Amino acid sequence: MGFSARVNSFRRRVMHNITKGIGGSYKLPKKGSVKVEDIKKVLIIRPNHRLGNQLLLTPIVQEVIETFPGCEIDLFVKGGVAHPVFQNYKQVKNIIKLPKKPFNNLLKYIATWFKIKGKRYDLVINGDKDSSSGRLLTALSIGKIKVFGDVHETITQNYRDYKHISKYPIYNLRYVLAQVGLEKNNNALPVLNIRLNDEEIAQGKAILDDIIKNDKKTICIYTNATGHKCYSEAWWNKFYNRLLKEYPNYNIIEMLPIENISKINFKAPHFYSKDIREMAAIIKNTSIFIAADNGVMHLASASLTPTVGFFSYTNPEIYGPYGNGSLPLHTEDTEIDDWIKAINGILK
């Protein structure tokens, strides 16, 4: 771990220890004092700039929309990636953005924090219980109902998947709303969804058709990831060769990362795009997407395409793809035959 990473890790630990008690003394409104129609303005806080973390926010946004159909939602995030992610969510009215590099824009950073003090909300949700700034912002906001993010014991006892970063905010919200007397939502949890429209999907198909130039179904792989999550060229070449052997009746293509590199040395037909909605639309037209844990893995999941995520460093219980047949595979506990078996289960 480099010096900068160690400093950031230390800073996060210190801030977490300082802020972990924030919200402990907060008292919910009296049971029966809040009605569904009272919730018109909602603030969801997730001050992180990474693509994956913004996509992982889409399920709680869907849950809020389903629970309060007439509401308007403000998002408090970092950077600009939330704009394309939530482009087709008409209920998202304002995206309040912290600068991606706060120390280069300190005054703007501070001013953005205090923007939320100028508006009253009926519901405020901290989207990440481990975010110190999320807790502080939730405390700073003016809201009738606040969900700070702590997972109640009732949730940990009743839901095996409560650790997932997209799921526990929904379980938390449902628990809190039941405490104030609103009817509990027992529907299946929403999945990641970037809400591609028909035109986008058609454009994605046209791009894919130009790459493959045949009528066979397509398997898409993505061989890059950051830091310890990244597998070696030897690992990916072995896996790619196995895919070629197992699936001769499928196209196997590679989506290239922003760095325009390939762990299989560009052996497969490939494509490159910086437009995340275009990337999602192309993936939508494939049969399965296979990648290590990264933001593009979550983008594939949000395109509603069956997604296999390889994990060795991060926890699949927290970050694994789910829904639409998607699943995580821990490569330290499984081997290549297990991966092929899982892929076969999805493709069939």
Side-chain angles (χ1 to χ4, degrees):
M1 184 184 293
F3 175 74
S4 179
R6 290 197 300 272
V7 170
N8 284 330
S9 177
F10 176 75
R11 176 185 57 80
R12 284 192 292 269
R13 289 198 304 271
V14 170
M15 288 301 297
H16 177 72
N17 288 332
I18 292 172
T19 60
K20 64 182 179 180
I22 290 177
S25 60
Y26 168 73
K27 301 296 183 185
L28 286 168
K30 184 179 178 182
K31 192 168 187 176
S33 64
V34 179
K35 299 178 181 178
V36 169
E37 54 268 27
D38 294 336
I39 310 299
K40 296 182 174 64
K41 302 289 184 182
V42 180
L43 174 65
I44 302 176
I45 299 169
R46 185 69 171 93
N48 187 291
H49 70 278
R50 293 186 181 277
L51 171 62
N53 286 314
Q54 296 306 314
L55 291 163
L56 288 161
L57 201 61
T58 59
I60 185 64
V61 171
Q62 293 171 74
E63 177 77 8
V64 168
I65 292 168
E66 181 184 346
T67 307
F68 308 108
C71 74
E72 294 184 354
I73 300 171
D74 288 358
L75 301 178
F76 192 104
V77 297
K78 184 184 287 187
V81 75
H83 286 285
V85 168
F86 293 98
Q87 178 177 305
N88 288 346
Y89 281 81
K90 62 182 179 62
Q91 294 89 349
V92 175
K93 297 300 181 182
N94 296 295
I95 296 178
I96 306 166
K97 298 177 296 184
L98 287 169
K100 188 175 176 180
K101 296 182 178 179
F103 293 107
N104 293 345
N105 302 274
L106 194 55
L107 291 178
K108 184 178 179 182
Y109 188 88
I110 295 169
T112 306
W113 266 66
F114 283 95
K115 266 187 181 180
I116 62 171
K117 288 290 287 182
K119 189 169 182 180
R120 292 182 177 274
Y121 293 97
D122 303 305
L123 173 64
V124 179
I125 301 168
N126 176 25
D128 180 5
K129 63 182 174 58
D130 296 318
S131 170
S132 299
S133 53
R135 283 184 175 276
L136 287 167
L137 286 159
T138 303
L140 183 66
S141 65
I142 302 172
K144 187 183 299 181
I145 302 173
K146 295 186 179 185
V147 183
F148 281 86
D150 295 307
V151 182
H152 193 271
E153 185 180 0
T154 303
I155 296 169
T156 65
Q157 292 174 346
N158 292 330
Y159 302 101
R160 294 180 61 186
D161 56 354
Y162 74 90
K163 292 181 181 179
H164 198 282
I165 196 167
S166 277
K167 296 181 180 182
Y168 74 70
I170 298 170
Y171 288 135
N172 286 347
L173 176 62
R174 291 181 178 185
Y175 173 81
V176 166
L177 295 181
Q179 297 307 297
V180 299
L182 296 182
E183 184 177 353
K184 187 177 179 182
N185 182 356
N186 291 311
N187 293 339
L189 300 185
V191 298
L192 277 67
N193 193 345
I194 200 170
R195 290 193 172 179
L196 294 167
N197 59 37
D198 292 342
E199 182 180 356
E200 290 173 317
I201 295 170
Q203 289 173 347
K205 184 177 187 305
I207 295 171
L208 180 62
D209 288 347
D210 191 53
I211 298 167
I212 59 177
K213 295 180 171 60
N214 62 51
D215 294 328
K216 294 194 296 185
K217 294 180 179 180
T218 299
I219 295 170
C220 186
I221 62 174
Y222 184 87
T223 63
N224 198 43
T226 57
H228 296 288
K229 296 186 287 185
C230 191
Y231 292 88
S232 68
E233 289 187 5
W235 190 96
W236 272 110
N237 274 284
K238 180 181 178 181
F239 179 62
Y240 173 64
N241 288 331
R242 182 67 181 270
L243 289 177
L244 290 174
K245 179 182 176 181
E246 295 285 342
Y247 306 107
N249 296 322
Y250 282 80
N251 302 297
I252 300 175
I253 67 171
E254 181 181 11
M255 172 179 281
L256 300 177
I258 195 168
E259 298 87 355
N260 200 21
I261 59 175
S262 168
K263 293 291 184 181
I264 58 170
N265 198 28
F266 303 98
K267 291 176 184 175
H270 49 267
F271 66 96
Y272 177 85
S273 175
K274 292 183 180 180
D275 184 328
I276 67 168
R277 298 197 69 84
E278 181 179 79
M279 293 161 65
I282 297 168
I283 296 170
K284 175 65 177 174
N285 287 280
T286 65
S287 296
I288 191 171
F289 185 88
I290 306 171
D293 175 26
N294 58 62
V296 180
M297 179 197 75
H298 294 304
L299 180 65
S301 187
S303 77
L304 307 183
T305 297
T307 301
V308 171
F310 288 125
F311 288 75
S312 61
Y313 180 71
T314 46
N315 187 347
E317 288 186 314
I318 299 175
Y319 298 106
Y322 68 97
N324 306 301
S326 299
L327 53 84
L329 293 171
H330 201 294
T331 54
E332 299 297 311
D333 301 330
T334 57
E335 53 189 30
I336 197 165
D337 288 341
D338 300 312
W339 313 339
I340 296 301
K341 183 179 179 181
I343 293 167
N344 286 338
I346 294 172
L347 292 177
K348 289 178 182 178

